[in-house]
Amino acid sequence: MKANFKQLGLATAVAAATVGYAGITQAAISSNGLGDMAIVPYYTVEGDFVSGLHITNTSDATQVVKLRWRRGSDSMDALDFNIIMSPHDVWTGFIDDSSGGIVVKTDDTTCTAPLRPGGDFPMPGLYASGAEEGYIEIIGMAQHTDGPMAAAALHAAGVPADCGAVESNFFRVSTTAPAVPAEGNAKGVYSSIATVQTLTAAQLLAAVPSINNFEDTPNVLKVSYFIRDAASGLEFGSDAVHIQDFAANAMMTNQEIIILGVPDAYSFLFPDMDGGSPLDTARGSYDGIIRAADGLGALSVINDWSVASARNVSTDWVVTLPGQYLMLDLTRYTLGGADGTDCPTAAQAAALVPASVECNARDIPVVLDASNGVWDREEGTFIPSEGGLVISPEVGLVPNATILPFEVNVIEWTAGSNEPVLG
């Protein structure tokens, strides 16, 4: 099947997941399966599903990596934290809701910011509603080759030397202009390329430096994922969509809570798909790299499907259109409703400074165009009836909708007694 997207639409990946079979068709600019950024097109905690993530640092340097889970309805930041990977380190974790809320869990000892006892990262309530499905951003924030952070993050007998010292680099120092750190300064982020960390008494006596300097992450990250339903035995996965040369400079930011009414150019909202802090790093990566014609920009997707109840085979597609949050005025968008799903009314917008009604320029919803047909293995082509796609050979059986309304959309191909795959 071929589905045409409206102009400027973006299809990062189409995952065809079937019982007993999994195939991935994806657009990416990485030629060797490595990058300084990656997108996992789908995670789910629906039903009995858990979604796992594997990240490998293939370099000889320490890598600071941002992990961000975005909810599928509108790609709001539902959960994010940083991992600090020593050379050739591997981090693994998974997300599920077996403990009540949605939680990312890991048994890994790799340093994180923030540090979490037991390795659990519960999803905050602000955007957890509707975040049972979504996608994941993995962004290389910076590379560190020689300094106190590298020493503290390095594993010895399977355990990093001092994750508390590593974490101290991610406190807030300034929300505005970059500052030049000096020995003895307060711990935290001074700019996109420099942080200060705490030292032990012994380190102070030995005159160990507290300043960490950073450069951009090379194309050294390898990311893969899996989705598993232990109850049914279904499991599938693949490599993430890897982006190369996403950032040309370091993009360090803090991990402290955002203070309402106080803009913070070094907040945990950065880096994102458009780049790092707007103060001292280049923005524009979303249009310039990701959505570019030689990047992940796409107007159509083509993949196969199969429905055979006698052989217990069925198919779901996942179509992800990530980064739509960059087409929103987030301040006005979040004012529109408690769940952030609507823009402000004209009256609300008039009270804002500057006044504005427009706050949503997203591509979605995307309309599916079936003019190219739905093809079966007998080379049959069916003209869709008014209002929907025809799923051959069941002429007249149509999907529930021909609109992709969200960043993450699950399309179910069923017939007769076949149940959908992802629930």
Side-chain angles (χ1 to χ4, degrees):
M1 173 186 169
K2 181 176 181 179
N4 285 341
F5 292 85
K6 75 177 185 179
Q7 191 68 23
L8 295 183
L10 172 70
T12 288
V14 180
T18 65
V19 176
Y21 169 79
I24 301 295
T25 300
Q26 60 190 29
I29 57 176
S30 172
S31 60
N32 61 358
L34 297 173
D36 58 347
M37 177 190 174
I39 301 170
V40 170
Y42 185 64
Y43 77 83
T44 179
V45 299
E46 295 282 7
D48 294 314
F49 280 103
V50 299
S51 301
L53 184 65
H54 301 254
I55 304 173
T56 302
N57 171 16
T58 67
S59 76
D60 296 326
T62 300
Q63 303 296 336
V64 182
V65 182
K66 169 70 72 177
L67 304 186
R68 184 181 286 114
W69 282 257
R70 291 196 175 273
R71 69 180 182 185
S73 58
D74 58 2
S75 71
M76 290 296 99
D77 183 351
L79 169 67
D80 73 76
F81 58 91
N82 306 321
I83 61 172
I84 299 86
M85 307 183 73
S86 56
H88 306 292
D89 191 11
V90 178
W91 183 91
T92 64
F94 67 93
I95 184 169
D96 76 352
D97 61 355
S98 61
S99 56
I102 302 175
V103 182
V104 171
K105 303 177 181 180
T106 180
D107 294 325
D108 218 293
T109 60
T110 298
C111 294
T112 63
L115 286 171
R116 290 292 304 177
D120 288 357
F121 294 83
M123 186 173 286
L126 182 60
Y127 290 117
S129 176
E132 291 82 7
E133 296 175 302
Y135 65 93
I136 310 172
E137 296 174 347
I138 302 94
I139 303 175
M141 297 173 66
Q143 174 173 278
H144 177 58
T145 55
D146 185 23
M149 177 187 281
L154 189 64
H155 289 65
V159 179
D162 189 348
C163 283
V166 172
E167 183 194 41
S168 70
N169 287 277
F170 294 89
F171 285 87
R172 178 182 295 114
V173 173
S174 173
T175 64
T176 55
V180 178
E183 295 298 337
N185 278 177
K187 63 186 177 182
V189 175
Y190 281 77
S191 70
S192 296
I193 61 171
T195 66
V196 170
Q197 75 181 52
T198 57
L199 300 177
T200 66
Q203 288 172 324
L204 290 170
L205 288 174
V208 172
S210 62
I211 300 172
N212 289 298
N213 296 303
F214 300 89
E215 57 190 16
D216 65 295
T217 295
N219 299 316
V220 295
L221 300 179
K222 175 69 175 181
V223 181
S224 62
Y225 68 97
F226 69 85
I227 296 175
R228 176 187 302 137
D229 181 353
S232 67
L234 170 66
E235 180 174 351
F236 64 96
S238 184
D239 286 344
V241 179
H242 292 85
I243 313 296
Q244 291 192 338
D245 302 322
F246 173 74
N249 43 258
M251 302 185 294
M252 292 294 291
T253 54
N254 68 65
Q255 197 64 22
E256 284 203 56
I257 190 170
I258 292 176
I259 303 171
L260 291 178
V262 180
D264 184 359
Y266 294 109
S267 76
F268 58 75
L269 295 176
F270 305 107
D272 59 19
M273 281 193 187
D274 208 37
S277 167
L279 281 182
D280 53 4
T281 61
R283 301 281 289 172
S285 296
Y286 184 59
D287 285 328
I289 296 176
I290 295 178
R291 286 167 58 92
D294 58 350
L296 301 182
L299 296 179
S300 64
V301 292
I302 302 173
N303 212 335
D304 58 0
W305 55 272
S306 180
V307 178
S309 56
R311 293 183 291 277
N312 194 29
V313 173
S314 58
T315 304
D316 283 3
W317 285 12
V318 177
V319 181
T320 302
L321 299 96
Q324 300 287 317
Y325 61 90
L326 293 166
M327 306 178 201
L328 290 171
D329 183 323
L330 287 178
T331 301
R332 287 156 171 76
Y333 183 70
T334 53
L335 283 174
D339 59 356
T341 56
D342 299 303
C343 288
T345 64
Q348 289 173 316
L352 297 170
V353 179
S356 173
V357 176
E358 176 62 42
C359 77
N360 183 353
R362 294 179 295 179
D363 288 336
I364 56 175
V366 169
V367 179
L368 288 174
D369 176 6
S371 59
N372 287 284
V374 179
W375 309 317
D376 66 12
R377 64 184 183 182
E378 285 79 32
E379 303 177 7
T381 301
F382 295 81
I383 305 295
S385 58
E386 183 70 25
L389 304 176
V390 173
I391 304 178
S392 65
E394 300 284 345
V395 179
L397 187 64
V398 300
N400 292 333
T402 56
I403 299 286
L404 301 183
F406 305 125
E407 270 81 352
V408 176
N409 304 271
V410 178
I411 301 174
E412 299 170 346
W413 300 75
T414 63
S417 61
N418 279 74
E419 294 293 327
V421 180
L422 296 171

